[in-house]
Amino acid sequence: MENKPIARTLRLLSQLMELHNENPFKIKSVANAAFKIDKLPFAIANKPISEIDKIDGVGKSIAAKIVELLETGTIGELETLLGQTPPGVVEMLAIKGIGPKKIATIWHDLHIENIGELYYACNENRLIEAKGFGLKTQEEIKKIIEFKMAANGKFLYAQVEPVINNVHEKLSVWLNKVEHDALLGIAGEYRRMCEIIEDAVFVLGTANQALLITQLSSFELNFTETAPSIFTAQTESNLTIKLFIVPKTNFYLDYFKLSGNETHVNQVLALAGNQVFKTEEDIYEKAGLAFIVPELREGLDEVALAKKNQLPTLITNQDLKGSLHNHSDWSDGVHTLEEMALFCKDILKLEYLGICDHSKSAFYANGLNEQRVYAQHQQINELNQKLAPFKIFKGIESDILYDGSLDYSDDILKTFDFVVASVHSQLKMTEEKATERLLKAIENPYTTILGHPTGRLLLSRKGYDIDYKKIIDACAGNKVVIEINANPLRLDLDWRWHRYALEKGVLLAINPDAHRKEGFLDMRYGVMVARKGGLTAEKCLNAFSLSEISNFFASKQ
C-alpha cells in the first residue's frame, strides 16, 4: 500500500473521530500523522514494523493502526465509526469548505444525511439558520455540489436553462452577422422539457454550409467537428453543446428528428414520409395528425391521440389561480406570511395562497406545535380580512410518521382547510413498507394532498420505491389529490405517472413548496412536467377559481 491511501485512511479516521466528538488530542495526533505520512520521501509499507513508530509524527498508537491497515486493509476503529455514520454523511466529509464540526451540525441539528438533502437545504435557505453558517458558506457549498453534479454529465433543467438560452441568444446575434436569414432552433431533451438534460442540441439551417462552417471559428465557443456537419463545444459549466449544421431546405425535418423521442419520430415519419417540409406543422399535417407539441413527443400514446384528434389541451402557467403548499417564517421559510401573500396577490395576480408550514415532528424546520398552529390561524384570519377578496387557506404539511399516521390529533387536523401529508424522515424503506406507510396516510380522512410522493431529489437522491398503481388507486378511492412538487430538484410525482393518475380520475396539484417569495416562480417547472404528463387545467386543483377550490375543501371536510 502506498503512502497516499494510508494518509487518506488516517485523515478519514480523524474526521470521523471529530464528527463523533472524540478526544481532541487523539484527533489532532491522527490528523497530524496523516499529514506527515503524505509528505514522506519513502514508502512506509517498506519499513520494518518495529521502525514505523519511530517515524516523525507517528508514535506507537498510530503505528499500531498503520500496521493493522497494512495487514488487514482496514482499521477496526475506523470500521466502528463508519458503522455509526450514514454513508451520505461520510460523503459530505469530502466537500471542501465544511469540516467535521459543521457536518455534525448539519447531521444532528438539521437531520440532513446526504449531499442531495444538503443541496436541497441550501436552496431552501435552511443552512444559514444553523449555528456557524452564513449566506456565503451556504452559497459556496451549493456551488461545490453543483460542480459535482456537472462532473457526472447530467444537469437539472433549471440549472441549464439560463446557459442554453444564453448560447441561443449569442448564436442568433452571430448568425445575423454571418448569414442573417439562416434558421436556428433549440432541439433535444431541452425542447421536450425533460427534467434531466445531458446535452444541449442546436440545429442551424443554412443555404451555404461550407461558408458557415468556415465562419464558425469566429464564434466565442470553441467548436470541434465530431462528425460531418456536427460540432461540439463545452460551456464553462461543463455542459456539452451539440450544433447540427444542415441544409436550409432540410431544416424542419432535421429539427423535428432531433427534437423528438426516437419512437415518436419513427411513428410520425412512417405516416408523413421523408420529404421536404415547410414547417413542423407541415410534417404532422402530411402525416394526417394534429400537431403534437414538443413536450409530448415521448413515444407514448400521443400519436394515437393525434390520429383521433383527441390530444389534451395542456395546462399553461396562466391557468393557475393559486399556489398551495408553501412555507413562511413560522417554520423554515424566509419571508413572513403577509409578504408571501402579497407576492401572490400583487405580483403574481393569484386569487389565493395555501400556507403549509411544517408540522410539529419537523422540529429541525421549526415545525408548529398545537399552540403555534392556533396562533398562526389567528394571524391568517386577520390577514384575510385585510387582503380580501384574496384568501389565505389554512394548511399544514403534516409529517407521515413511520407507521403511516399523521403527527397531529384529529382535533387539530380538523382545524385546517386542507392538509398536505408528506414523508420527511426514515426514508430507508422497502417498497412494501413505503407503500403501506403512504396508503395509511392516504386513508386518513383529513389528508387532502399527498406531498412529493417518493421523496426524490433529482441527481442526488433516488427516493423510496413505491407501488405507484396502488398509491394512485388509493388516492382515487379516497379523493386525495397528488402533488406535482414544482421544486426543480423534486418534480415529484414523476410525469410518467400523470396519465395513469388522470385516467383514474385523480386531481393533481402543481405546488412550488416555496420557502421564500422567489420560490413561487418554480411553479412554471411544475407546469412544464405537468404538460409532459398530459395535465389539463380542469384536472389541476390550483387551476380552480377561489370559489371552486373553497367548495372543494369544504366538501372534503
Side-chain angles (χ1 to χ4, degrees):
M1 186 180 289
E2 295 180 0
N3 289 355
K4 282 200 177 293
I6 294 172
R8 278 199 300 269
T9 303
L10 290 174
R11 190 176 301 114
L12 176 59
L13 175 59
S14 71
Q15 289 175 315
L16 287 169
M17 290 168 71
E18 188 173 356
L19 186 66
H20 289 275
N21 201 28
E22 295 204 3
N23 185 302
F25 178 77
K26 285 178 64 179
I27 295 167
K28 191 173 181 180
S29 64
V30 174
N32 183 55
F35 177 79
K36 292 286 181 71
I37 289 167
D38 193 34
K39 305 296 181 186
L40 288 176
F42 55 84
I44 199 170
N46 295 337
K47 281 280 184 183
I49 289 174
S50 60
E51 294 183 19
I52 291 178
D53 65 344
K54 307 294 192 300
I55 297 170
D56 180 39
V58 176
K60 288 185 179 180
S61 175
I62 306 294
K65 298 183 196 303
I66 294 169
V67 171
E68 184 184 1
L69 177 61
L70 293 172
E71 291 178 349
T72 68
T74 188
I75 300 171
E77 186 179 355
L78 175 64
E79 293 302 318
T80 299
L81 290 171
L82 285 171
Q84 298 169 359
T85 314
V89 174
V90 177
E91 192 181 0
M92 281 193 271
L93 289 167
I95 299 175
K96 292 180 180 178
I98 49 173
K101 283 184 181 176
K102 286 187 175 178
I103 289 172
T105 300
I106 290 167
W107 177 22
H108 296 302
D109 295 356
L110 299 180
H111 297 265
I112 292 168
E113 293 193 353
N114 61 53
I115 288 176
E117 291 172 359
L118 179 59
Y119 185 62
Y120 186 71
C122 289
N123 277 275
E124 289 187 329
N125 256 16
R126 190 181 294 173
L127 214 60
I128 61 173
E129 298 168 9
K131 185 180 178 182
F133 291 87
L135 183 60
K136 185 178 178 183
T137 303
Q138 177 177 274
E139 290 305 307
E140 285 173 356
I141 291 169
K142 186 177 173 183
K143 285 177 184 175
I144 290 166
I145 297 173
E146 285 177 345
F147 182 80
K148 184 180 174 68
M149 287 179 179
N152 295 330
K154 294 183 179 181
F155 299 81
L156 300 175
Y157 181 98
Q159 274 181 296
V160 297
E161 184 178 27
V163 178
I164 292 176
N165 289 340
N166 184 46
V167 171
H168 181 263
E169 184 180 341
K170 289 180 176 179
L171 273 172
S172 299
V173 171
W174 172 78
L175 263 182
N176 196 46
K177 295 175 183 175
V178 177
E179 184 182 343
H180 72 275
D181 58 348
L183 301 172
L184 176 68
I186 307 172
E189 298 161 327
Y190 184 79
R191 190 173 183 221
R192 294 206 311 279
M193 298 184 182
C194 297
E195 64 272 39
I196 302 296
I197 308 294
E198 294 194 33
D199 47 46
V201 177
F202 291 83
V203 187
L204 197 162
T206 172
N208 193 334
Q209 275 180 286
L211 175 64
L212 199 138
I213 288 170
T214 60
Q215 294 291 318
L216 194 57
S217 59
S218 65
F219 188 66
E220 64 180 71
L221 284 177
N222 186 24
F223 279 106
T224 303
E225 191 166 15
T226 53
S229 300
I230 302 174
F231 299 82
T232 61
Q234 297 287 123
T235 66
E236 286 183 6
S237 57
N238 212 31
L239 174 68
T240 298
I241 306 292
K242 290 184 178 178
L243 178 64
F244 292 76
I245 299 179
V246 303
K248 195 171 179 180
T249 51
N250 290 349
F251 175 79
Y252 289 103
L253 176 59
D254 287 321
Y255 188 36
F256 167 75
K257 286 180 177 179
L258 289 165
S259 290
N261 167 287
E262 186 179 355
T263 302
H264 176 90
V265 170
N266 290 340
Q267 287 176 341
V268 174
L269 290 184
L271 297 169
N274 229 336
Q275 54 182 297
V276 174
F277 299 101
K278 297 175 183 177
T279 60
E280 273 195 317
E281 286 80 1
D282 190 28
I283 297 173
Y284 288 98
E285 188 177 330
K286 286 178 177 170
L289 302 171
F291 181 75
I292 301 172
V293 294
E295 51 266 50
L296 286 181
R297 300 177 193 175
E298 293 290 350
L300 300 173
D301 62 349
E302 69 273 11
V303 171
L305 291 172
K307 273 183 184 176
K308 296 181 284 187
N309 205 27
Q310 292 178 355
L311 288 167
T313 301
L314 299 178
I315 192 164
T316 67
N317 294 319
Q318 290 70 36
D319 289 322
L320 300 183
K321 302 292 190 296
S323 179
L324 305 169
H325 186 178
N326 305 290
H327 301 265
S328 71
D329 65 352
W330 276 85
S331 64
D332 61 343
V334 173
H335 293 110
T336 66
L337 184 48
E338 184 170 7
E339 286 171 334
M340 297 288 274
L342 288 172
F343 190 86
C344 287
K345 176 179 177 286
D346 297 336
I347 306 301
L348 301 181
K349 306 300 182 185
L350 297 176
E351 297 177 16
Y352 52 86
L353 162 69
I355 196 68
C356 287
D357 278 305
H358 284 286
S359 58
K360 63 180 181 178
S361 294
F363 49 86
Y364 55 88
N366 194 27
L368 276 61
N369 61 25
E370 288 81 354
Q371 292 75 25
R372 294 181 68 225
V373 166
Y374 177 78
Q376 187 185 65
H377 287 183
Q378 300 314 301
Q379 186 186 27
I380 290 171
N381 290 339
E382 293 168 7
L383 286 172
N384 279 337
Q385 285 189 327
K386 179 179 178 180
L387 302 177
F390 183 88
K391 181 164 184 177
I392 302 170
F393 286 105
K394 299 166 184 170
I396 194 76
E397 185 176 20
S398 185
D399 269 27
I400 301 174
L401 304 178
Y402 196 67
D403 66 356
S405 60
L406 303 186
D407 63 342
Y408 289 119
S409 68
D410 288 357
D411 285 343
I412 299 299
L413 290 171
K414 70 182 181 185
T415 66
F416 297 104
D417 294 315
F418 71 109
V419 173
V420 175
S422 307
V423 171
H424 289 112
S425 60
Q426 295 176 285
L427 305 183
K428 295 173 186 173
M429 300 174 281
T430 63
E431 180 180 316
E432 184 181 9
K433 173 59 186 173
T435 302
E436 175 193 320
R437 186 176 177 183
L438 291 185
L439 286 175
K440 185 172 178 182
I442 291 164
E443 289 164 1
N444 187 308
Y446 292 101
T447 298
T448 317
I449 301 173
L450 178 63
H452 43 73
T454 72
R456 76 179 187 183
L457 296 174
L458 292 167
L459 296 183
S460 50
R461 185 174 76 196
K462 176 179 173 287
Y464 38 84
D465 293 319
I466 60 172
D467 185 326
Y468 281 94
K469 287 190 175 180
K470 275 189 180 178
I471 296 300
I472 291 169
D473 290 348
C475 287
N478 291 274
K479 293 185 169 53
V480 169
V481 180
I482 300 180
E483 171 176 271
I484 302 171
N485 191 293
N487 185 303
L489 277 160
R490 289 192 182 273
L491 301 178
D492 181 21
L493 180 71
D494 190 292
W495 63 265
R496 295 160 187 83
W497 285 98
H498 294 182
R499 283 174 174 78
Y500 182 77
L502 295 171
E503 287 166 12
K504 291 294 180 176
V506 176
L507 288 174
L508 302 177
I510 298 171
N511 294 336
D513 200 353
H515 285 68
R516 55 167 88 69
K517 292 185 293 186
E518 296 78 12
F520 289 115
L521 304 179
D522 285 345
M523 284 196 290
R524 67 190 186 87
Y525 298 115
V527 170
M528 175 186 86
V529 294
R531 288 174 63 85
K532 288 189 73 62
L535 182 63
T536 62
E538 293 75 22
K539 298 295 182 181
C540 177
L541 179 62
N542 55 308
F544 286 16
S545 68
L546 176 57
S547 61
E548 288 169 337
I549 200 168
S550 297
N551 291 336
F552 177 84
F553 288 151
S555 68
K556 179 69 180 173
Q557 288 180 322

